[in-house]
Amino acid sequence: MSTRFKICNCNRSMPLDAAAGAKLGDALGVGALPVATQLCRGEIGQFVNELSGTERMVVGCTQERARFDELAQQHASIAPLRFVNIRETANWGQESLQALAKTAALLADAALPAADPVPSVTYTSRGKTLVIGNAQQALPWARQLSSQVSVSVLLTGESAGSELPEESGIPVFSGEAVKISGWLGAFEVRWQQVNPIDLEACVRCNACIDACPENAINDLYQVEAEKCSRHGDCVIACGAVGAIDFSRRKTQRQGQFDLILDLSASPLIALHQPPQGYFAPDSNPSDQLAAALQISHMVGEFEKPKFFSYKEKLCAHSRNQKVGCNACIDVCSAKAIDSAGDRIKVNPHLCIGCGACTTVCPSGALGYAYPGAPHTGRRLKTVLSTFADAGGKQPVILFHSQQQGRDLINRLGRLAKKSQRHRGMPAQVIPIELHHTASVGIDLWLAAVAYGAAGIAVLVTDEEAPQYVDALTAQMAIAQTVLSGLGYAGAHCRLMQATTPEQLDTALLLAPKGDVPQQPATFHVAADKRNTLDFVLDHLYRHAPLKPDHVALPAGAPFGAIAVNTAACTLCMSCVGACPESALMDSQNAPQLRFVEKNCVQCGLCVQTCPEDALALAPRIAFTDTSKKAVVLHEAEPFCCIRCNKPFGTLQMIDNMLAKLSQHGAFSANLDRLKMCGDCRVVDMMTSKREVRIVEIKPPSITR
């Protein structure tokens, strides 16, 4: 599908004129672009006249997106509309006159086809809501929500000075030690019943209050334990209603709910990314109102993308109850990933799409799907090639989120337009919006450098979980070590932390900038992370100023070798059976431990499995041809069976067995059997006259 571009200099507030339109058109390969001055107002007819076509239309304005969308609907337009902000991100700032190449890159990015659709995850909510908290806060909000959704209340903590609803339409419970699990439409809440009065069975007749001589029952029908002597007058007064039972104390109760409004002083789900349908606003009334409004609209069926893909065969989590890689489990801020034997299990209902698990996964078993790496790679290749075609030099890619990251960049652009004290977005910094900044890692960062990016920056705000920042920092250290080891000068990777436009303006002064390959890469990013890295590293090495055989990497890197203590290794091959990536192999022809370095993901399963503690990880990236071939790490002289002469082990293995089992009762008198293969050992046991045999003696049958 071809693309038309509509650009406007926004009432001449941007340095875009006919000459700029001609240069932009050349870079985009579409001919000179007309530049409007008031596309959303005085020249709106130009926009309307082109709505009848079927070509994709890219509008270089997000300020008036709603207006353009409304016009497209009014005129029954079938042309897909795309919008891109070229004002705050490129043409409002101190370097706007030099931002033509970036403007072309942003327009080219917006013109790309949409990413492939992904499977969806469905939630079903009937509006059954549980409000948790003390009576002063929980009961008023329950009354407010009761006209919108089906509400229950779980009272916790001190509740003096409040009263239960006059009518019994809102179920009320009380308890402590509350535990919540689940997600929107499928929450399970467990709590410990403390109050002997069942508030659901209570008819509010006050007979118990009148009968209690200690005044131990308050207006919320809670028995105050420090006053109660348990004489039982309240039980007698309650009579057939049966709401009071002192044996009910410390019993466990549970309930199923679709939505949770948690008004506790500290959230009961203390996660950076709580599950969908769980709301824990602070004590600010406006925050509580916002949460209540969301709850009132969350009835029905809802969908979200399934953000990840998982290839079990590549997973290096565990083997034989030995844990190797736990990176995805440790980094997930939503607790959506658990161990499931040798594999991991991702709960799609809890996954919030940050993608950090895919960034830290060394093998590529977990892949980000919203969008997939090939689509993001296509975006990088497009913007960088367009930037170069338009005459741009030393581009820097700035990855940012579609929420706070986008907002910061836009606010900085507006600030720079108003005040000369702020620089705004530099001309060579190209913003790339992501669903989440943690979803892109070393494979795409290095691919961008291979395509010609002089720097990779990731903008993080306070919306990212702390472990995501740590993970991105560690991954950037690995990427920078590789580039520096190959002789590419300068700092290529930087994490930019900012929560205000002023902080972002300062951070951009330190935008990364380093050397790039003399020739940009032409490969496409693959869906498989390791395949992409193969292409990337090959290109970077071929054009590198230095040609080292290998570069040492920080601990935790997804590449490396295995160091073998040959004096300790018995070639038992336990490590071969544990290796999930076929990096370690045995040989059918001789006692050999072979290794393909290219396949190793440094998961450590071989180290955890080795009974002799003879293995150690050696993180590094190798560039020699031998790293792609099986090399012998250790070999030994075969030991042949002393009975049939068939090789069945190594000399070192047999010596170890003789040393360890010589005092064992089963072998001390028959050490030669340890020198036999399994078949001959059985034959020797069956034919030896010195063996004591145990024979079952059956009683004689009785004939009647």
Side-chain angles (χ1 to χ4, degrees):
M1 179 183 291
S2 58
T3 304
R4 290 171 295 164
F5 297 90
K6 301 297 294 181
I7 58 175
C8 175
N9 60 28
C10 197
N11 202 25
R12 297 185 177 86
S13 66
M14 295 187 284
L16 297 177
D17 54 17
K23 292 180 180 178
L24 288 172
D26 287 343
L28 296 167
V30 295
L33 295 181
V35 179
T37 299
Q38 295 181 353
L39 185 63
C40 62
R41 295 294 188 272
E43 297 164 280
I44 195 68
Q46 296 180 18
F47 175 78
V48 173
N49 289 339
E50 297 190 38
L51 288 175
S52 58
T54 59
E55 296 175 292
R56 181 188 301 113
M57 182 185 289
V58 172
V59 182
C61 175
T62 54
Q63 167 70 37
E64 298 295 326
R65 177 173 186 161
R67 180 175 177 82
F68 291 128
D69 272 333
E70 182 181 1
L71 286 169
Q73 293 176 8
Q74 289 176 358
H75 291 80
S77 171
I78 59 175
L81 294 184
R82 301 281 183 81
F83 299 90
V84 57
N85 183 355
I86 62 173
R87 190 176 72 176
E88 283 87 352
T89 59
N91 292 283
W92 274 8
Q94 292 184 12
E95 298 185 16
S96 59
L97 292 174
Q98 294 83 43
L100 197 66
K102 178 165 70 169
T103 301
L106 294 173
L107 290 168
D109 182 30
L112 285 172
D116 293 334
V118 298
S120 61
V121 179
T122 302
Y123 300 88
T124 301
S125 169
R126 296 156 298 176
K128 188 177 180 182
T129 303
L130 179 66
V131 181
I132 304 173
N134 62 45
Q136 291 91 335
Q137 294 209 56
L139 291 175
W141 279 116
R143 295 187 186 100
Q144 292 287 335
L145 285 168
S146 61
S147 62
Q148 306 290 325
V149 292
S150 173
V151 181
S152 299
V153 178
L154 175 56
L155 298 179
T156 59
E158 295 294 329
S159 300
S162 298
E163 294 183 355
L164 292 179
E166 295 179 2
E167 298 181 2
S168 59
I170 299 177
V172 180
F173 311 96
S174 65
E176 60 184 29
V178 183
K179 303 292 184 183
I180 304 173
S181 60
W183 51 85
L184 173 63
F187 283 107
E188 182 171 292
V189 183
R190 298 174 181 270
W191 67 91
Q192 191 175 71
Q193 178 77 39
V194 177
N195 186 27
I197 302 178
D198 185 344
L199 298 181
E200 270 302 277
C202 178
V203 297
R204 321 290 204 262
C205 67
N206 291 338
C208 58
I209 295 177
D210 294 338
C212 181
E214 296 98 352
N215 293 322
I217 303 175
N218 61 29
D219 291 339
L220 288 170
Y221 303 98
Q222 304 282 313
V223 176
E224 299 176 14
E226 66 277 7
K227 296 181 180 179
C228 177
S229 62
R230 298 183 63 173
H231 47 69
D233 289 357
C234 57
V235 178
I236 297 171
C238 188
V241 174
I244 306 178
D245 184 352
F246 280 86
S247 67
R248 190 178 289 121
R249 284 176 177 252
K250 303 300 182 182
T251 58
Q252 293 293 324
R253 301 191 66 175
Q254 66 181 52
Q256 285 73 42
F257 303 92
D258 300 316
L259 297 151
I260 304 290
L261 177 58
D262 182 5
L263 300 173
S264 305
S266 298
L268 295 170
I269 298 182
L271 295 176
H272 188 86
Q273 297 289 350
Q276 298 280 348
Y278 172 83
F279 299 88
D282 57 28
S283 57
N284 189 322
S286 61
D287 292 337
Q288 294 181 359
L289 175 61
L293 286 173
Q294 289 187 67
I295 286 174
S296 67
H297 290 90
M298 296 188 74
V299 179
E301 278 204 354
F302 303 89
E303 288 187 349
K304 72 172 183 181
K306 183 182 178 184
F307 295 104
F308 64 93
S309 61
Y310 179 51
K311 300 175 183 176
E312 286 191 5
K313 291 183 179 180
L314 299 179
C315 186
H317 170 56
S318 175
R319 291 294 185 277
N320 304 318
Q321 298 182 340
K322 299 286 186 181
V323 176
C325 176
N326 242 4
C328 60
I329 296 175
D330 293 339
V331 82
C332 181
S333 69
K335 297 300 179 185
I337 309 176
D338 284 318
S339 176
D342 287 346
R343 305 288 186 257
I344 54 99
K345 182 179 180 180
V346 186
N347 188 323
H349 290 92
L350 293 178
C351 173
I352 48 85
C354 66
C357 57
T358 67
T359 294
V360 300
C361 179
S363 66
L366 276 170
Y368 197 67
Y370 189 71
H375 179 78
T376 304
R378 191 182 309 120
R379 293 181 65 192
L380 291 170
K381 192 174 183 180
T382 297
V383 298
L384 290 167
S385 62
T386 305
F387 185 87
D389 291 344
K393 304 292 183 184
Q394 294 186 308
V396 175
I397 297 295
L398 175 63
F399 291 111
H400 66 90
S401 71
Q402 63 183 6
Q403 296 176 359
Q404 291 189 29
R406 178 207 291 169
D407 180 63
L408 270 185
I409 290 172
N410 291 343
R411 288 167 61 195
L412 175 59
R414 293 190 290 272
L415 196 63
K417 185 64 176 175
K418 296 176 182 177
S419 170
Q420 291 297 316
R421 293 185 296 105
H422 298 92
R423 180 185 180 202
M425 289 291 289
Q428 79 277 15
V429 175
I430 307 171
I432 297 291
E433 186 174 298
L434 303 172
H435 180 72
H436 200 290
T437 51
S439 64
V440 170
I442 187 173
D443 51 335
L444 287 162
W445 298 339
L446 291 179
V449 174
Y451 290 147
I456 303 297
V458 177
L459 172 60
V460 295
T461 64
D462 54 7
E463 65 181 323
E464 285 87 2
Q467 60 263 45
Y468 296 169
V469 177
D470 294 341
L472 290 171
T473 301
Q475 293 288 310
M476 282 191 163
I478 296 169
Q480 187 60 62
T481 301
V482 171
L483 292 167
S484 299
L486 291 174
Y488 292 102
H492 297 78
C493 303
R494 190 179 302 279
L495 204 65
M496 292 185 177
Q497 294 184 275
T499 56
T500 67
E502 291 83 1
Q503 290 175 348
L504 176 58
D505 201 35
T506 301
L508 286 168
L509 294 172
L510 301 174
K513 187 180 297 183
D515 291 347
V516 299
Q518 293 182 353
Q519 180 179 335
T522 58
F523 63 80
H524 297 297
V525 168
D528 183 88
K529 182 177 185 176
R530 302 289 290 198
N531 285 346
T532 295
L533 286 168
D534 286 344
F535 289 129
V536 168
L537 294 170
D538 179 69
H539 182 84
L540 292 174
Y541 183 75
R542 280 191 287 110
H543 298 278
L546 301 178
K547 305 288 185 181
D549 288 343
H550 66 270
V551 174
L553 297 178
F559 311 99
I562 300 296
V564 181
N565 181 350
T566 55
C569 177
T570 62
L571 291 175
C572 68
M573 301 304 170
S574 296
C575 55
V576 173
C579 181
E581 311 299 333
S582 298
L584 287 167
M585 300 177 291
D586 59 5
S587 172
Q588 296 181 350
N589 302 318
Q592 292 180 337
L593 178 62
R594 300 186 299 157
F595 178 63
V596 181
E597 185 167 344
K598 172 182 173 291
N599 294 348
C600 182
V601 299
Q602 297 283 286
C603 66
L605 278 169
C606 56
V607 176
Q608 297 293 328
T609 302
C610 179
E612 288 90 17
D613 295 325
L615 304 181
L617 300 178
R620 69 180 195 178
I621 181 70
F623 298 99
T624 60
D625 289 338
T626 55
S627 66
K628 302 176 183 179
K629 302 174 183 177
V631 298
V632 177
L633 293 182
H634 182 38
E635 59 183 336
E637 178 184 348
F639 186 89
C640 298
C641 175
I642 61 175
R643 187 182 181 103
C644 69
N645 207 36
K646 179 177 71 176
F648 74 97
T650 66
L651 180 61
Q652 186 177 6
M653 181 187 298
I654 300 303
D655 287 343
N656 282 356
M657 288 173 61
L658 288 171
K660 293 178 180 180
L661 299 178
S662 60
Q663 304 301 317
H664 194 283
F667 296 99
S668 58
N670 301 282
L671 289 179
D672 281 348
R673 283 190 187 148
L674 295 176
K675 304 176 184 179
M676 299 179 189
C677 66
D679 293 339
C680 291
R681 195 175 301 154
V682 173
V683 172
D684 184 69
M685 291 175 63
M686 298 301 294
T687 57
S688 176
K689 296 181 179 179
R690 294 177 297 170
E691 296 291 341
V692 177
R693 298 186 182 183
I694 301 175
V695 180
E696 181 182 2
I697 301 176
K698 298 181 180 180
S701 59
I702 300 174
T703 304
R704 294 184 179 178

PDB file of all heavy atoms in Angstrom, residues 85-96:
ATOM      1  N   ASN A  85       3.983  12.914  15.717  1.00  0.00           N
ATOM      2  CA  ASN A  85       4.303  14.228  16.268  1.00  0.00           C
ATOM      3  C   ASN A  85       5.668  14.676  15.744  1.00  0.00           C
ATOM      4  O   ASN A  85       6.702  14.166  16.175  1.00  0.00           O
ATOM      5  CB  ASN A  85       4.315  14.157  17.789  1.00  0.00           C
ATOM      6  CG  ASN A  85       4.560  15.511  18.436  1.00  0.00           C
ATOM      7  OD1 ASN A  85       4.806  16.501  17.767  1.00  0.00           O
ATOM      8  ND2 ASN A  85       4.500  15.540  19.759  1.00  0.00           N
ATOM      9  N   ILE A  86       5.676  15.619  14.810  1.00  0.00           N
ATOM     10  CA  ILE A  86       6.941  16.171  14.325  1.00  0.00           C
ATOM     11  C   ILE A  86       7.179  17.569  14.890  1.00  0.00           C
ATOM     12  O   ILE A  86       8.148  18.227  14.526  1.00  0.00           O
ATOM     13  CB  ILE A  86       6.976  16.218  12.781  1.00  0.00           C
ATOM     14  CG1 ILE A  86       5.872  17.120  12.236  1.00  0.00           C
ATOM     15  CG2 ILE A  86       6.883  14.814  12.205  1.00  0.00           C
ATOM     16  CD1 ILE A  86       5.939  17.364  10.736  1.00  0.00           C
ATOM     17  N   ARG A  87       6.294  18.005  15.783  1.00  0.00           N
ATOM     18  CA  ARG A  87       6.405  19.352  16.346  1.00  0.00           C
ATOM     19  C   ARG A  87       7.266  19.330  17.602  1.00  0.00           C
ATOM     20  O   ARG A  87       8.410  19.794  17.593  1.00  0.00           O
ATOM     21  CB  ARG A  87       5.000  19.909  16.649  1.00  0.00           C
ATOM     22  CG  ARG A  87       4.986  21.388  17.005  1.00  0.00           C
ATOM     23  CD  ARG A  87       3.563  21.892  17.199  1.00  0.00           C
ATOM     24  NE  ARG A  87       2.949  21.390  18.427  1.00  0.00           N
ATOM     25  CZ  ARG A  87       1.736  21.755  18.859  1.00  0.00           C
ATOM     26  NH1 ARG A  87       1.000  22.590  18.134  1.00  0.00           N
ATOM     27  NH2 ARG A  87       1.248  21.284  19.986  1.00  0.00           N
ATOM     28  N   GLU A  88       6.742  18.783  18.698  1.00  0.00           N
ATOM     29  CA  GLU A  88       7.511  18.751  19.955  1.00  0.00           C
ATOM     30  C   GLU A  88       8.752  17.875  19.848  1.00  0.00           C
ATOM     31  O   GLU A  88       9.766  18.137  20.493  1.00  0.00           O
ATOM     32  CB  GLU A  88       6.628  18.258  21.109  1.00  0.00           C
ATOM     33  CG  GLU A  88       5.660  19.287  21.654  1.00  0.00           C
ATOM     34  CD  GLU A  88       4.349  19.315  20.893  1.00  0.00           C
ATOM     35  OE1 GLU A  88       4.254  18.635  19.839  1.00  0.00           O
ATOM     36  OE2 GLU A  88       3.418  20.003  21.333  1.00  0.00           O
ATOM     37  N   THR A  89       8.686  16.805  19.056  1.00  0.00           N
ATOM     38  CA  THR A  89       9.803  15.853  19.009  1.00  0.00           C
ATOM     39  C   THR A  89      10.939  16.287  18.094  1.00  0.00           C
ATOM     40  O   THR A  89      12.051  15.774  18.209  1.00  0.00           O
ATOM     41  CB  THR A  89       9.308  14.476  18.535  1.00  0.00           C
ATOM     42  OG1 THR A  89       8.720  14.622  17.229  1.00  0.00           O
ATOM     43  CG2 THR A  89       8.289  13.897  19.488  1.00  0.00           C
ATOM     44  N   ALA A  90      10.679  17.247  17.175  1.00  0.00           N
ATOM     45  CA  ALA A  90      11.716  17.585  16.200  1.00  0.00           C
ATOM     46  C   ALA A  90      11.837  19.076  15.928  1.00  0.00           C
ATOM     47  O   ALA A  90      12.949  19.611  15.864  1.00  0.00           O
ATOM     48  CB  ALA A  90      11.453  16.844  14.884  1.00  0.00           C
ATOM     49  N   ASN A  91      10.730  19.775  15.739  1.00  0.00           N
ATOM     50  CA  ASN A  91      10.782  21.119  15.178  1.00  0.00           C
ATOM     51  C   ASN A  91      10.470  22.231  16.163  1.00  0.00           C
ATOM     52  O   ASN A  91      10.324  23.384  15.764  1.00  0.00           O
ATOM     53  CB  ASN A  91       9.831  21.196  13.978  1.00  0.00           C
ATOM     54  CG  ASN A  91      10.321  20.356  12.814  1.00  0.00           C
ATOM     55  OD1 ASN A  91      11.236  20.736  12.095  1.00  0.00           O
ATOM     56  ND2 ASN A  91       9.714  19.182  12.642  1.00  0.00           N
ATOM     57  N   TRP A  92      10.322  21.898  17.435  1.00  0.00           N
ATOM     58  CA  TRP A  92      10.248  22.909  18.478  1.00  0.00           C
ATOM     59  C   TRP A  92      11.452  22.715  19.396  1.00  0.00           C
ATOM     60  O   TRP A  92      11.501  21.784  20.193  1.00  0.00           O
ATOM     61  CB  TRP A  92       8.959  22.778  19.294  1.00  0.00           C
ATOM     62  CG  TRP A  92       7.793  23.506  18.689  1.00  0.00           C
ATOM     63  CD1 TRP A  92       7.737  24.098  17.472  1.00  0.00           C
ATOM     64  CD2 TRP A  92       6.519  23.708  19.302  1.00  0.00           C
ATOM     65  NE1 TRP A  92       6.506  24.656  17.265  1.00  0.00           N
ATOM     66  CE2 TRP A  92       5.728  24.438  18.381  1.00  0.00           C
ATOM     67  CE3 TRP A  92       5.952  23.357  20.518  1.00  0.00           C
ATOM     68  CZ2 TRP A  92       4.415  24.809  18.634  1.00  0.00           C
ATOM     69  CZ3 TRP A  92       4.648  23.729  20.788  1.00  0.00           C
ATOM     70  CH2 TRP A  92       3.884  24.449  19.855  1.00  0.00           C
ATOM     71  N   GLY A  93      12.433  23.557  19.277  1.00  0.00           N
ATOM     72  CA  GLY A  93      13.633  23.445  20.085  1.00  0.00           C
ATOM     73  C   GLY A  93      14.761  24.230  19.455  1.00  0.00           C
ATOM     74  O   GLY A  93      14.662  24.759  18.344  1.00  0.00           O
ATOM     75  N   GLN A  94      15.876  24.289  20.160  1.00  0.00           N
ATOM     76  CA  GLN A  94      17.002  25.090  19.692  1.00  0.00           C
ATOM     77  C   GLN A  94      17.637  24.529  18.421  1.00  0.00           C
ATOM     78  O   GLN A  94      18.312  25.263  17.698  1.00  0.00           O
ATOM     79  CB  GLN A  94      18.051  25.204  20.802  1.00  0.00           C
ATOM     80  CG  GLN A  94      17.598  26.015  22.003  1.00  0.00           C
ATOM     81  CD  GLN A  94      18.695  26.178  23.037  1.00  0.00           C
ATOM     82  OE1 GLN A  94      19.867  25.880  22.779  1.00  0.00           O
ATOM     83  NE2 GLN A  94      18.324  26.662  24.219  1.00  0.00           N
ATOM     84  N   GLU A  95      17.445  23.238  18.150  1.00  0.00           N
ATOM     85  CA  GLU A  95      18.072  22.636  16.972  1.00  0.00           C
ATOM     86  C   GLU A  95      17.054  22.307  15.892  1.00  0.00           C
ATOM     87  O   GLU A  95      17.267  21.433  15.061  1.00  0.00           O
ATOM     88  CB  GLU A  95      18.842  21.375  17.382  1.00  0.00           C
ATOM     89  CG  GLU A  95      19.981  21.650  18.352  1.00  0.00           C
ATOM     90  CD  GLU A  95      20.807  20.409  18.661  1.00  0.00           C
ATOM     91  OE1 GLU A  95      20.693  19.410  17.906  1.00  0.00           O
ATOM     92  OE2 GLU A  95      21.562  20.424  19.643  1.00  0.00           O
ATOM     93  N   SER A  96      15.935  23.029  15.884  1.00  0.00           N
ATOM     94  CA  SER A  96      14.883  22.721  14.914  1.00  0.00           C
ATOM     95  C   SER A  96      15.335  22.921  13.473  1.00  0.00           C
ATOM     96  O   SER A  96      14.881  22.224  12.568  1.00  0.00           O
ATOM     97  CB  SER A  96      13.644  23.580  15.206  1.00  0.00           C
ATOM     98  OG  SER A  96      13.972  24.966  15.143  1.00  0.00           O
TER      99      SER A  96
END
